[in-house]
Amino acid sequence: QAQLVESGGGLVQPGGSLRLSCAVSGSIFSLYSMAWYRQRPGKQRELVADITIGGSPDYVDSANYADSVKGRFTISRDKAKNTMYLQMNSLKPEDTAVYYCNAEGVLTSIWGQGTQVTVSS
């Protein structure tokens, strides 16, 4: 069973930046997407950004973002390191949340344990 391990969370001032990492250990059969979700205090878990993964080596991953983070966050994936990233810039207090990574394969859906991001002065 593959596992996802997030890292990179922490405390940052408004306007600051953080980069979250999601390392994949093991293999995921027919992986087709990866995503970052977050759960803000008192709110339901919401999609932040996702990346669609193609089956051919020539396929360029395509990304989608929640309106609230467009232009500030960037999702990316390093195939060689089997790691997904979320670069978060111009952070706002409302970005405070536990951030989770997710991987979807044909036969499975895997979640990481979450990493806390706190944006506060």
Side-chain angles (χ1 to χ4, degrees), residues 53-95:
I53 299 165
S56 70
D58 296 332
Y59 184 87
V60 177
D61 294 346
S62 63
N64 294 289
Y65 299 90
D67 288 343
S68 58
V69 307
K70 278 181 183 175
R72 300 189 297 122
F73 291 10
T74 302
I75 188 172
S76 63
R77 189 171 68 103
D78 186 326
K79 297 177 187 179
K81 294 183 179 180
N82 221 10
T83 300
M84 178 178 66
Y85 302 98
L86 185 68
Q87 178 66 44
M88 305 186 294
N89 299 328
S90 302
L91 282 161
K92 305 175 180 180
E94 52 264 42
D95 294 318

Side-chain angles (χ1 to χ4, degrees), residues 97-121:
V98 179
Y99 285 72
Y100 299 89
C101 67
N102 165 259
E104 296 288 328
V106 171
L107 300 177
T108 189
S109 175
I110 302 173
W111 292 87
Q113 82 287 354
T115 185
Q116 176 70 45
V117 171
T118 302
V119 185
S120 175
S121 54

